[in-house]
Amino acid sequence: QKEVEQDPGPLSVPEGAIVSLNCTYSNSAFQYFMWYRQYSRKGPELLMYTYSSGNKEDGRFTAQVDKSSKYISLFIRDSQPSDSATYLCAMSGGSSNTGKLIFGQGTTLQVKP
Amino acid sequence: NAGVTQTPKFQVLKTGQSMTLQCAQDMNHNSMYWYRQDPGMGLRLIYYSASEGTTDKGEVPNGYNVSRLNKREFSLRLESAAPSQTSVYFCASSRSSGGLYNEQFFGPGTRLTVL
């Protein structure tokens, strides 16, 4: 079993839809949770960063962490064609925290005009 | 600031050939990383360098070697390329390893094909 599981999709939605992207994980020591966005043929870039449990909002994006369920989510409101990309969750932390990130497989999202 | 730069952008090798992928960052970051990305596999860590002068294995180190040349540069070497090493390779850097400052910044990637 992978430490971090993410549905690879692809996910296709109409413009304006609410998108929900999810990851589950098995390591209860994870404390730092990130979402990266990767446009086609580009390097990933950090979108959201959350420490421990809770919600964080940034414009149309909301990240949620539920440590009790080992489940994290990224919500995109009023999705736009420019949101079409691959979204990767990533996590780190623990007693021997070395900063190494464990990534999910990535979910490819297409927002159709 | 260029951020993280990688050379070359594309490379085709024959089985058994060797090559070195170059990475440099101009953000004065302490930690640097090499990943490979394959379809359906996400990003997998090959090697990382928590600070200048140190390197450690990641999840998939076999067939690779690294050198932290100085604080700015971190190279990845394939001594004898195999078709299984066909992938997209990303270099990343972060201010430090661990804690709240491990946001990683990625380069544009190197697309490597081994025939």
Side-chain angles (χ1 to χ4, degrees):
Chain A
Q1 183 189 3
K2 285 181 172 290
E3 270 192 293
V4 180
E5 296 278 1
Q6 183 177 6
D7 185 343
L11 186 61
S12 182
V13 302
E15 183 176 353
I18 296 174
V19 177
S20 171
L21 304 169
N22 310 296
C23 288
T24 59
Y25 62 95
S26 57
N27 187 347
S28 58
F30 287 145
Q31 297 174 288
Y32 306 102
F33 304 91
M34 285 147 267
W35 286 95
Y36 280 80
R37 180 174 59 194
Q38 184 178 22
Y39 289 114
S40 180
R41 306 185 79 79
K42 301 286 187 183
E45 56 182 359
L46 184 68
L47 185 61
M48 301 281 288
Y49 186 128
T50 309
Y51 172 65
S52 195
S53 283
N55 293 358
K56 186 172 184 178
E57 190 172 318
D58 184 2
R60 297 183 294 108
F61 298 89
T62 300
Q64 287 186 352
V65 175
D66 182 348
K67 291 191 73 178
S68 63
S69 301
K70 298 191 182 69
Y71 189 87
I72 71 169
S73 300
L74 177 71
F75 296 95
I76 307 174
R77 292 184 299 279
D78 187 24
S79 56
Q80 302 295 309
S82 59
D83 295 328
S84 298
T86 295
Y87 291 81
L88 299 132
C89 62
M91 310 175 188
S92 69
S95 58
S96 59
N97 183 20
T98 59
K100 290 191 293 184
L101 295 181
I102 308 299
F103 284 86
Q105 297 94 317
T107 300
T108 299
L109 171 67
Q110 183 182 30
V111 181
K112 295 184 175 179
Chain B
N1 282 355
V4 179
T5 57
Q6 292 183 236
T7 55
K9 288 186 169 52
F10 302 93
Q11 185 70 48
V12 178
L13 292 177
K14 294 180 179 178
T15 297
Q17 288 185 317
S18 63
M19 78 162 295
T20 299
L21 283 64
Q22 307 285 354
C23 174
Q25 51 90 10
D26 62 2
M27 296 175 281
N28 200 34
H29 284 171
N30 291 304
S31 303
M32 299 185 73
Y33 312 82
W34 275 106
Y35 293 90
R36 61 178 288 173
Q37 186 174 36
D38 302 292
M41 301 291 286
L43 286 159
R44 293 184 292 169
L45 184 66
I46 305 171
Y47 270 93
Y48 69 104
S49 171
S51 61
E52 187 179 356
T54 69
T55 60
D56 284 289
K57 294 178 180 179
E59 182 184 353
V60 287
N62 290 348
Y64 305 95
N65 285 301
V66 290
S67 296
R68 184 73 183 267
L69 304 169
N70 47 55
K71 191 172 185 180
R72 291 187 63 248
E73 299 172 289
F74 188 38
S75 63
L76 178 72
R77 182 160 179 85
L78 287 70
E79 291 291 351
S80 178
S84 61
Q85 294 178 305
T86 293
S87 188
V88 182
Y89 291 85
F90 288 101
C91 177
S93 71
S94 64
R95 180 173 156 183
S96 72
S97 61
L100 295 173
Y101 300 106
N102 65 345
E103 175 186 350
Q104 293 185 16
F105 295 81
F106 285 81
T110 294
R111 282 163 177 75
L112 175 68
T113 301
V114 183
L115 302 175

Coordinates of all heavy atoms in Angstrom, one line a residue, chain B residues 13-92:
Chain B
L13 N 19.2 8.9 -25.0 CA 20.4 8.1 -24.7 C 20.2 6.7 -25.3 O 19.1 6.2 -25.4 CB 20.8 8.0 -23.3 CG 21.2 9.2 -22.5 CD1 21.4 8.8 -21.0 CD2 22.5 9.8 -23.1
K14 N 21.3 6.0 -25.6 CA 21.2 4.6 -25.9 C 21.5 3.8 -24.6 O 22.3 4.3 -23.7 CB 22.2 4.2 -26.9 CG 21.9 4.8 -28.3 CD 22.9 4.4 -29.3 CE 22.6 5.0 -30.7 NZ 23.6 4.7 -31.7
T15 N 21.0 2.6 -24.5 CA 21.3 1.8 -23.3 C 22.8 1.7 -23.1 O 23.5 1.4 -24.0 CB 20.6 0.4 -23.5 OG1 19.2 0.5 -23.6 CG2 21.0 -0.5 -22.3
G16 N 23.2 1.9 -21.8 CA 24.6 1.8 -21.5 C 25.3 3.1 -21.5 O 26.4 3.2 -20.9
Q17 N 24.8 4.1 -22.1 CA 25.5 5.4 -22.1 C 25.3 6.1 -20.7 O 24.4 5.7 -20.0 CB 24.9 6.3 -23.2 CG 25.3 5.9 -24.6 CD 24.8 6.9 -25.7 OE1 23.7 7.4 -25.6 NE2 25.7 7.2 -26.6
S18 N 26.2 7.0 -20.5 CA 26.1 7.7 -19.2 C 25.8 9.2 -19.5 O 26.1 9.7 -20.6 CB 27.4 7.6 -18.5 OG 28.5 8.2 -19.2
M19 N 25.3 9.9 -18.5 CA 25.1 11.3 -18.6 C 24.9 11.9 -17.2 O 24.5 11.2 -16.3 CB 23.9 11.6 -19.5 CG 22.5 11.5 -18.9 SD 21.2 12.4 -19.8 CE 21.7 14.1 -19.6
T20 N 25.0 13.2 -17.2 CA 24.8 14.0 -16.0 C 23.8 15.0 -16.2 O 23.9 15.8 -17.2 CB 26.1 14.6 -15.5 OG1 27.1 13.6 -15.2 CG2 25.9 15.4 -14.2
L21 N 22.8 15.1 -15.3 CA 21.8 16.1 -15.3 C 22.2 17.2 -14.3 O 22.6 16.9 -13.2 CB 20.4 15.6 -14.9 CG 19.6 14.8 -16.0 CD1 20.3 13.5 -16.4 CD2 18.2 14.5 -15.5
Q22 N 22.2 18.4 -14.8 CA 22.6 19.6 -14.0 C 21.4 20.3 -13.4 O 20.4 20.5 -14.1 CB 23.5 20.5 -14.8 CG 24.6 19.9 -15.6 CD 25.8 19.5 -14.6 OE1 25.8 19.8 -13.4 NE2 26.8 18.8 -15.2
C23 N 21.6 20.8 -12.2 CA 20.6 21.6 -11.5 C 21.3 22.7 -10.7 O 22.3 22.5 -10.1 CB 19.8 20.8 -10.6 SG 18.6 21.7 -9.6
A24 N 20.7 23.9 -10.8 CA 21.3 25.0 -10.0 C 20.1 25.9 -9.5 O 19.1 26.0 -10.2 CB 22.2 25.9 -10.9
Q25 N 20.3 26.4 -8.3 CA 19.3 27.3 -7.8 C 20.0 28.6 -7.3 O 21.1 28.6 -6.8 CB 18.5 26.7 -6.6 CG 19.3 26.0 -5.5 CD 19.7 26.9 -4.4 OE1 19.1 28.0 -4.2 NE2 20.5 26.4 -3.5
D26 N 19.2 29.7 -7.4 CA 19.8 31.0 -7.0 C 19.0 31.6 -5.8 O 19.0 32.9 -5.7 CB 19.9 32.0 -8.2 CG 18.5 32.3 -8.8 OD1 17.5 31.8 -8.2 OD2 18.4 33.0 -9.8
M27 N 18.4 30.8 -5.0 CA 17.6 31.3 -3.9 C 18.3 31.1 -2.6 O 17.7 31.3 -1.5 CB 16.2 30.6 -3.9 CG 15.4 30.8 -5.2 SD 13.9 29.9 -5.3 CE 14.5 28.3 -5.8
N28 N 19.5 30.8 -2.6 CA 20.3 30.5 -1.4 C 19.7 29.5 -0.5 O 19.7 29.5 0.8 CB 20.5 31.8 -0.6 CG 21.6 31.8 0.4 OD1 22.6 31.1 0.1 ND2 21.5 32.4 1.6
H29 N 19.1 28.5 -1.1 CA 18.4 27.4 -0.4 C 19.5 26.4 0.1 O 20.5 26.2 -0.6 CB 17.4 26.7 -1.2 CG 16.1 27.4 -1.4 ND1 15.1 27.1 -2.3 CD2 15.7 28.5 -0.7 CE1 14.1 27.9 -2.2 NE2 14.4 28.8 -1.3
N30 N 19.2 25.8 1.2 CA 20.1 24.8 1.8 C 19.9 23.4 1.3 O 20.8 22.6 1.1 CB 20.0 24.7 3.3 CG 20.5 26.0 4.0 OD1 21.6 26.4 3.8 ND2 19.6 26.7 4.7
S31 N 18.6 23.1 1.0 CA 18.3 21.7 0.6 C 17.9 21.6 -0.9 O 17.3 22.4 -1.4 CB 17.1 21.2 1.5 OG 17.4 21.3 2.8
M32 N 18.3 20.5 -1.5 CA 18.0 20.2 -2.9 C 17.7 18.8 -3.1 O 18.1 17.9 -2.3 CB 19.2 20.6 -3.8 CG 19.6 22.1 -3.6 SD 20.9 22.6 -4.8 CE 20.1 22.6 -6.3
Y33 N 16.9 18.5 -4.1 CA 16.2 17.2 -4.3 C 16.2 16.8 -5.8 O 16.1 17.7 -6.7 CB 14.8 17.2 -3.8 CG 14.6 17.8 -2.5 CD1 14.5 19.2 -2.3 CD2 14.5 17.0 -1.3 CE1 14.3 19.8 -1.0 CE2 14.3 17.6 -0.1 CZ 14.2 19.0 0.1 OH 14.0 19.5 1.3
W34 N 16.3 15.5 -6.1 CA 16.0 15.0 -7.4 C 14.9 14.0 -7.4 O 14.8 13.1 -6.5 CB 17.3 14.3 -8.0 CG 18.3 15.2 -8.6 CD1 19.5 15.6 -8.1 CD2 18.2 15.8 -9.9 NE1 20.1 16.4 -9.0 CE2 19.3 16.6 -10.1 CE3 17.2 15.8 -10.9 CZ2 19.6 17.3 -11.2 CZ3 17.4 16.6 -12.0 CH2 18.6 17.3 -12.2
Y35 N 13.9 14.3 -8.3 CA 12.7 13.4 -8.4 C 12.7 12.9 -9.8 O 13.2 13.5 -10.8 CB 11.4 14.2 -8.2 CG 11.2 14.7 -6.8 CD1 11.7 15.9 -6.4 CD2 10.5 13.9 -5.8 CE1 11.4 16.4 -5.1 CE2 10.3 14.4 -4.6 CZ 10.8 15.6 -4.2 OH 10.5 16.1 -2.9
R36 N 12.0 11.8 -10.0 CA 11.5 11.3 -11.3 C 10.0 11.2 -11.3 O 9.4 11.0 -10.3 CB 12.2 10.0 -11.7 CG 11.9 8.8 -10.8 CD 12.5 7.5 -11.4 NE 11.9 7.1 -12.6 CZ 12.3 6.1 -13.4 NH1 13.4 5.4 -13.0 NH2 11.7 5.7 -14.4
Q37 N 9.4 11.5 -12.5 CA 8.0 11.5 -12.6 C 7.6 10.6 -13.7 O 8.0 10.8 -14.9 CB 7.4 12.9 -12.8 CG 5.9 12.9 -12.8 CD 5.3 14.3 -12.9 OE1 5.8 15.2 -13.5 NE2 4.2 14.6 -12.1
D38 N 6.8 9.6 -13.4 CA 6.4 8.6 -14.4 C 4.8 8.6 -14.4 O 4.2 8.8 -13.3 CB 6.9 7.2 -14.1 CG 8.4 7.2 -14.1 OD1 9.0 7.4 -15.1 OD2 9.0 7.0 -13.0
P39 N 4.2 8.3 -15.5 CA 2.7 8.3 -15.6 C 2.1 7.4 -14.5 O 2.5 6.3 -14.3 CB 2.5 7.7 -17.0 CG 3.7 8.0 -17.8 CD 4.8 7.9 -16.8
G40 N 1.2 8.0 -13.8 CA 0.5 7.2 -12.7 C 1.2 7.0 -11.5 O 0.8 6.3 -10.6
M41 N 2.5 7.5 -11.4 CA 3.3 7.3 -10.2 C 3.6 8.5 -9.4 O 4.3 8.4 -8.3 CB 4.7 6.7 -10.7 CG 4.6 5.4 -11.5 SD 4.0 4.0 -10.5 CE 5.5 3.7 -9.5
G42 N 3.2 9.6 -9.8 CA 3.5 10.8 -9.1 C 5.0 11.1 -9.1 O 5.7 10.7 -10.0
L43 N 5.5 11.9 -8.1 CA 6.9 12.2 -8.1 C 7.5 11.3 -7.0 O 7.1 11.2 -5.9 CB 7.0 13.7 -7.6 CG 6.7 14.7 -8.6 CD1 6.4 16.1 -8.0 CD2 7.9 14.9 -9.6
R44 N 8.6 10.7 -7.4 CA 9.4 9.8 -6.5 C 10.8 10.3 -6.3 O 11.5 10.7 -7.3 CB 9.4 8.4 -7.1 CG 8.0 7.7 -7.1 CD 8.1 6.3 -7.6 NE 8.5 6.2 -9.0 CZ 8.9 5.1 -9.6 NH1 8.9 4.0 -8.9 NH2 9.2 5.1 -10.9
L45 N 11.2 10.4 -5.0 CA 12.4 11.0 -4.7 C 13.6 10.0 -5.0 O 13.5 8.9 -4.6 CB 12.4 11.4 -3.2 CG 13.6 12.1 -2.6 CD1 13.8 13.5 -3.3 CD2 13.6 12.2 -1.1
I46 N 14.6 10.5 -5.7 CA 15.7 9.7 -6.0 C 16.8 9.9 -5.0 O 17.3 8.9 -4.4 CB 16.3 10.1 -7.4 CG1 15.2 10.0 -8.5 CG2 17.4 9.1 -7.8 CD1 15.6 10.5 -9.9
Y47 N 17.3 11.1 -4.8 CA 18.3 11.5 -3.8 C 17.9 12.9 -3.4 O 17.3 13.7 -4.0 CB 19.7 11.5 -4.5 CG 20.4 10.2 -4.4 CD1 20.4 9.4 -5.5 CD2 21.2 9.9 -3.3 CE1 21.1 8.2 -5.4 CE2 22.0 8.8 -3.3 CZ 21.9 7.9 -4.3 OH 22.6 6.7 -4.3
Y48 N 18.5 13.2 -2.2 CA 18.3 14.6 -1.7 C 19.6 15.0 -0.9 O 20.4 14.2 -0.5 CB 17.1 14.8 -0.9 CG 17.1 14.1 0.5 CD1 17.3 14.8 1.6 CD2 16.9 12.7 0.6 CE1 17.3 14.2 2.9 CE2 16.9 12.1 1.8 CZ 17.1 12.9 3.0 OH 17.1 12.2 4.2
S49 N 19.7 16.3 -0.8 CA 20.8 16.9 -0.1 C 20.3 17.9 0.9 O 19.8 18.9 0.5 CB 21.8 17.6 -1.0 OG 22.8 18.3 -0.3
A50 N 20.3 17.5 2.2 CA 19.7 18.4 3.2 C 20.5 19.7 3.4 O 19.9 20.7 3.7 CB 19.6 17.7 4.5
S51 N 21.8 19.6 3.2 CA 22.6 20.8 3.3 C 23.9 20.5 2.4 O 24.2 19.4 2.1 CB 23.0 21.1 4.7 OG 23.7 20.0 5.3
E52 N 24.6 21.6 2.2 CA 25.9 21.4 1.4 C 26.8 20.4 2.1 O 27.0 20.5 3.3 CB 26.6 22.8 1.3 CG 27.8 22.8 0.4 CD 28.4 24.2 0.3 OE1 27.8 25.1 0.9 OE2 29.4 24.3 -0.3
G53 N 27.3 19.5 1.3 CA 28.2 18.5 1.8 C 27.5 17.2 2.3 O 28.2 16.2 2.7
T54 N 26.2 17.1 2.2 CA 25.5 15.9 2.6 C 24.6 15.4 1.5 O 24.0 16.3 0.8 CB 24.7 16.0 3.9 OG1 23.6 16.9 3.6 CG2 25.5 16.6 5.0
T55 N 24.5 14.1 1.3 CA 23.5 13.6 0.3 C 23.0 12.3 1.0 O 23.7 11.6 1.7 CB 24.1 13.2 -1.0 OG1 25.2 12.3 -0.9 CG2 24.7 14.5 -1.7
D56 N 21.7 12.0 0.6 CA 21.0 10.8 1.1 C 20.1 10.2 0.1 O 19.6 10.9 -0.8 CB 20.2 11.1 2.4 CG 21.1 11.3 3.6 OD1 21.6 10.3 4.1 OD2 21.2 12.4 4.0
K57 N 19.9 8.9 0.2 CA 19.1 8.2 -0.8 C 17.6 8.5 -0.5 O 17.2 8.7 0.7 CB 19.3 6.7 -0.7 CG 20.7 6.2 -1.1 CD 20.9 4.7 -0.9 CE 22.3 4.3 -1.4 NZ 22.5 2.8 -1.2
G58 N 16.9 8.5 -1.6 CA 15.4 8.6 -1.4 C 14.8 7.3 -1.7 O 15.3 6.2 -1.3
E59 N 13.6 7.3 -2.3 CA 12.8 6.1 -2.5 C 13.4 5.2 -3.6 O 13.3 4.0 -3.5 CB 11.4 6.6 -2.9 CG 10.4 5.4 -3.1 CD 9.0 5.9 -3.5 OE1 8.8 7.2 -3.5 OE2 8.2 5.1 -3.9
V60 N 13.9 5.8 -4.7 CA 14.3 5.0 -5.9 C 15.8 5.4 -6.3 O 16.0 5.9 -7.4 CB 13.3 5.2 -7.0 CG1 12.0 4.5 -6.8 CG2 13.1 6.7 -7.3
P61 N 16.8 5.1 -5.5 CA 18.2 5.6 -5.8 C 19.0 4.7 -6.8 O 20.0 5.1 -7.3 CB 18.8 5.6 -4.4 CG 18.1 4.5 -3.7 CD 16.7 4.5 -4.2
N62 N 18.5 3.4 -7.0 CA 19.3 2.5 -7.7 C 19.5 3.0 -9.2 O 18.6 3.3 -9.9 CB 18.6 1.1 -7.7 CG 18.7 0.5 -6.4 OD1 19.4 0.9 -5.5 ND2 17.9 -0.6 -6.2
G63 N 20.8 2.9 -9.6 CA 21.2 3.3 -10.9 C 21.5 4.8 -11.1 O 21.9 5.2 -12.2
Y64 N 21.5 5.5 -9.9 CA 21.8 6.9 -9.9 C 22.9 7.3 -8.9 O 23.0 6.6 -7.9 CB 20.6 7.8 -9.6 CG 19.4 7.5 -10.5 CD1 18.4 6.6 -10.1 CD2 19.2 8.2 -11.7 CE1 17.3 6.3 -10.8 CE2 18.1 7.9 -12.5 CZ 17.1 7.0 -12.0 OH 16.0 6.8 -12.8
N65 N 23.6 8.3 -9.2 CA 24.5 8.9 -8.2 C 24.3 10.4 -8.2 O 23.9 11.0 -9.3 CB 26.0 8.6 -8.5 CG 26.3 7.2 -8.2 OD1 26.2 6.8 -7.0 ND2 26.8 6.4 -9.2
V66 N 24.7 11.1 -7.1 CA 24.5 12.6 -7.1 C 25.8 13.2 -6.5 O 26.6 12.5 -5.9 CB 23.3 13.0 -6.2 CG1 22.0 12.6 -6.8 CG2 23.4 12.4 -4.8
S67 N 25.9 14.5 -6.8 CA 27.0 15.3 -6.3 C 26.4 16.7 -5.9 O 25.8 17.3 -6.7 CB 28.1 15.5 -7.3 OG 28.7 14.3 -7.6
R68 N 26.6 17.0 -4.6 CA 26.3 18.4 -4.2 C 27.6 19.2 -4.4 O 28.5 19.2 -3.5 CB 25.8 18.5 -2.8 CG 25.3 19.8 -2.3 CD 24.0 20.2 -2.9 NE 23.6 21.5 -2.6 CZ 22.8 21.8 -1.5 NH1 22.4 20.9 -0.7 NH2 22.5 23.1 -1.3
L69 N 27.7 19.9 -5.5 CA 28.9 20.5 -5.9 C 29.3 21.7 -5.0 O 30.4 22.0 -4.7 CB 28.8 20.9 -7.4 CG 28.5 19.8 -8.4 CD1 28.2 20.3 -9.7 CD2 29.7 18.8 -8.4
N70 N 28.2 22.4 -4.7 CA 28.3 23.6 -3.8 C 26.9 23.9 -3.4 O 26.0 23.1 -3.6 CB 29.0 24.8 -4.5 CG 28.4 25.0 -5.9 OD1 27.2 25.2 -6.0 ND2 29.2 25.0 -6.9
K71 N 26.7 25.0 -2.7 CA 25.4 25.3 -2.2 C 24.4 25.4 -3.3 O 23.2 25.1 -3.2 CB 25.4 26.5 -1.3 CG 24.1 26.7 -0.5 CD 24.2 27.9 0.4 CE 22.9 28.0 1.3 NZ 23.0 29.1 2.3
R72 N 24.8 25.9 -4.5 CA 23.9 26.2 -5.6 C 23.6 25.0 -6.5 O 22.5 25.0 -7.0 CB 24.5 27.3 -6.5 CG 24.6 28.7 -5.9 CD 25.1 29.7 -7.0 NE 24.1 29.8 -8.1 CZ 24.4 29.3 -9.3 NH1 25.5 28.7 -9.6 NH2 23.5 29.5 -10.3
E73 N 24.5 24.1 -6.6 CA 24.4 23.1 -7.6 C 24.3 21.7 -7.1 O 25.0 21.3 -6.2 CB 25.6 23.2 -8.6 CG 25.7 24.5 -9.3 CD 27.1 24.7 -10.0 OE1 28.1 24.8 -9.4 OE2 27.0 24.6 -11.3
F74 N 23.5 20.9 -7.8 CA 23.2 19.5 -7.3 C 23.0 18.7 -8.6 O 22.0 18.9 -9.3 CB 22.0 19.4 -6.5 CG 21.7 18.1 -5.8 CD1 22.7 17.3 -5.3 CD2 20.4 17.7 -5.6 CE1 22.4 16.2 -4.6 CE2 20.1 16.5 -4.9 CZ 21.1 15.7 -4.5
S75 N 23.9 17.8 -8.9 CA 23.9 17.1 -10.2 C 23.5 15.6 -10.0 O 23.7 15.0 -8.9 CB 25.2 17.1 -10.9 OG 26.2 16.5 -10.2
L76 N 22.8 15.0 -11.0 CA 22.4 13.6 -11.0 C 23.1 12.9 -12.1 O 23.0 13.3 -13.3 CB 20.9 13.6 -11.1 CG 20.2 12.2 -11.2 CD1 20.3 11.5 -9.8 CD2 18.8 12.3 -11.7
R77 N 23.7 11.8 -11.8 CA 24.4 11.0 -12.8 C 23.8 9.7 -13.0 O 23.5 9.0 -12.1 CB 25.9 10.9 -12.5 CG 26.7 10.2 -13.6 CD 28.2 10.5 -13.5 NE 28.9 9.8 -14.5 CZ 29.1 10.2 -15.8 NH1 28.6 11.4 -16.1 NH2 29.8 9.5 -16.6
L78 N 23.7 9.3 -14.3 CA 23.3 8.0 -14.7 C 24.5 7.3 -15.3 O 25.0 7.8 -16.3 CB 22.2 8.0 -15.8 CG 20.8 8.3 -15.3 CD1 20.6 9.8 -15.0 CD2 19.8 8.0 -16.4
E79 N 25.1 6.3 -14.6 CA 26.4 5.7 -15.1 C 26.2 4.8 -16.3 O 27.0 4.8 -17.2 CB 27.0 5.0 -13.9 CG 27.5 5.8 -12.8 CD 28.7 6.6 -13.2 OE1 29.3 6.4 -14.2 OE2 29.1 7.5 -12.4
S80 N 25.1 4.1 -16.3 CA 24.8 3.2 -17.4 C 23.3 3.1 -17.6 O 22.6 2.4 -16.9 CB 25.4 1.8 -17.1 OG 25.1 0.8 -18.1
A81 N 22.9 4.0 -18.5 CA 21.4 4.2 -18.6 C 20.7 2.9 -19.1 O 21.2 2.1 -19.9 CB 21.2 5.3 -19.6
A82 N 19.5 2.8 -18.6 CA 18.6 1.6 -18.9 C 17.3 2.2 -19.3 O 16.9 3.3 -18.9 CB 18.5 0.7 -17.7
P83 N 16.5 1.4 -20.2 CA 15.2 1.9 -20.6 C 14.3 2.2 -19.5 O 13.4 3.1 -19.6 CB 14.7 0.7 -21.5 CG 15.9 0.1 -22.0 CD 17.0 0.2 -20.9
S84 N 14.4 1.5 -18.3 CA 13.6 1.8 -17.2 C 13.8 3.2 -16.6 O 13.1 3.7 -15.7 CB 13.8 0.8 -16.1 OG 15.2 0.8 -15.7
Q85 N 14.9 3.9 -17.0 CA 15.2 5.2 -16.5 C 14.6 6.3 -17.4 O 14.8 7.5 -17.2 CB 16.7 5.4 -16.4 CG 17.3 4.5 -15.3 CD 18.8 4.6 -15.1 OE1 19.5 4.5 -16.1 NE2 19.2 4.9 -13.9
T86 N 13.9 5.9 -18.4 CA 13.1 6.8 -19.3 C 12.1 7.5 -18.4 O 11.2 6.8 -17.8 CB 12.4 6.1 -20.4 OG1 13.4 5.6 -21.3 CG2 11.5 7.0 -21.2
S87 N 12.1 8.8 -18.3 CA 11.3 9.5 -17.3 C 11.5 11.0 -17.5 O 12.3 11.5 -18.3 CB 11.6 9.1 -15.9 OG 10.7 9.6 -14.9
V88 N 10.7 11.8 -16.7 CA 10.9 13.2 -16.6 C 11.6 13.4 -15.2 O 11.0 13.0 -14.2 CB 9.6 14.0 -16.7 CG1 9.9 15.5 -16.6 CG2 8.9 13.7 -18.0
Y89 N 12.7 14.1 -15.2 CA 13.4 14.3 -14.0 C 13.3 15.8 -13.5 O 13.5 16.7 -14.3 CB 14.9 14.0 -14.2 CG 15.1 12.5 -14.4 CD1 15.0 11.9 -15.7 CD2 15.4 11.7 -13.3 CE1 15.2 10.6 -15.8 CE2 15.6 10.4 -13.5 CZ 15.5 9.8 -14.8 OH 15.7 8.4 -14.9
F90 N 12.9 16.0 -12.3 CA 12.8 17.3 -11.7 C 13.8 17.5 -10.6 O 13.9 16.6 -9.7 CB 11.4 17.5 -11.2 CG 10.3 17.7 -12.3 CD1 9.5 16.6 -12.6 CD2 10.2 18.9 -12.9 CE1 8.6 16.7 -13.6 CE2 9.2 19.0 -13.9 CZ 8.4 17.9 -14.3
C91 N 14.4 18.6 -10.6 CA 15.2 19.1 -9.5 C 14.4 20.1 -8.6 O 13.5 20.8 -9.2 CB 16.5 19.8 -10.0 SG 17.5 20.4 -8.7
A92 N 14.5 20.1 -7.3 CA 13.8 21.0 -6.5 C 14.8 21.5 -5.4 O 15.8 20.9 -5.1 CB 12.6 20.4 -5.9

